[in-house]
Amino acid sequence: MNETPSWDANDLDVETPNAARMYDYYLGGSHNFASDREAAARAVQVTPTMIPGARANRAFLQRAVRFCLDAGIRQFLDLGSGIPTVGHVHEIAHAIDPSTRVAYVDIEPIAVAHTRRMLSDTSAVTVTQADLQDPQEVLKSPGVADLLDFSEPAAVLAVAVLHFVPDSKNPAGMLDAYCDAVAPGSFLAVSHITDHYDTPERVAEIDRLYSSTTNAARHRTFEDFTRLIGDRELVDPGAVYATDWRPDPGTVPAEGARTAFWAALAHIS
Ligand SMILES: C[S@@+](CC[C@H](N)C(=O)[O-])C[C@H]1O[C@@H](n2cnc3c(N)ncnc32)[C@H](O)[C@@H]1O
């Protein structure tokens, strides 16, 4: 693990709400500030699907990671990894194989600082502060390039992050660049907020709310979501609501969770 840097909350903008910390709030974490909690509470008022949806997304991430591990994957590139609350990628992976390598990448300084702090005794995990919209920079950063062996299959995770990437940044092309970098036999896991709210006004309201945070978000249609994945072959059951992606037997989605996120796991050949 990289050396823990000194960081000081005084250096950080904690007045402007931030998506990583709002998501931490939805998941029940404690790495958030008053501004994040206020914005998150407003979002929950607009759509009560926010909290169960975030948790369903996190559960999808965990199932996708387990699927990849079962398929023999032992290295993960987690783009937009967020704050490592319970059940993060390395925890799932290391419960199965402690030698699994995980390269976390996030743009948000607090998410990165907490990740470093919480994982300082784990040499198989790195965290890099970087903008995933610049694949070449991410791929050559030491936290990624020195940890992962791209001649072996890997899983590229872009979970609950692509809605922060505007069309002007060509998110599909960006994913192509990551997929081109990894060996055949790799996987690409993606999820994205849906536009399936009960009224279009609520979609616009959430867009407006996130515009006032450090991470403007956009809703995409199902067709736009599948365009991001391109023509890659999908693992069954394909692109579906996150709750419907290979649910653990006997589990029932929490009320409001189902329509919040789309998800898919693709083969990279
Ligand atoms: C909603 S969280 C998702 C966390 C985790 N992937 C999950 O699904 O549980 C989105 C994360 O993406 C990060 N993010 C947003 N834009 C980014 C960018 N351009 N580059 C890297 N990370 C970004 C945010 O800081 C935040 O931590």
Side-chain angles (χ1 to χ4, degrees), residues 7 179 217 259:
W7 66 282
C179 292
T259 57

Side-chain angles (χ1 to χ4, degrees), residues 18-20 23 27 57-58 61 78-83 88 105-108 111 130-133 158-161 163-165 191 215:
N18 169 275
Y23 183 71
L27 293 182
N57 171 72
R58 178 53 77 102
L61 170 64
D78 188 359
L79 303 165
S81 48
I83 294 168
H88 220 47
V105 176
D106 204 286
I107 201 168
E108 211 280 308
D131 184 347
L132 82 153
Q133 298 173 129
V159 177
V161 69
H163 39 262
F164 298 117
V165 180
S191 75
N215 313 79

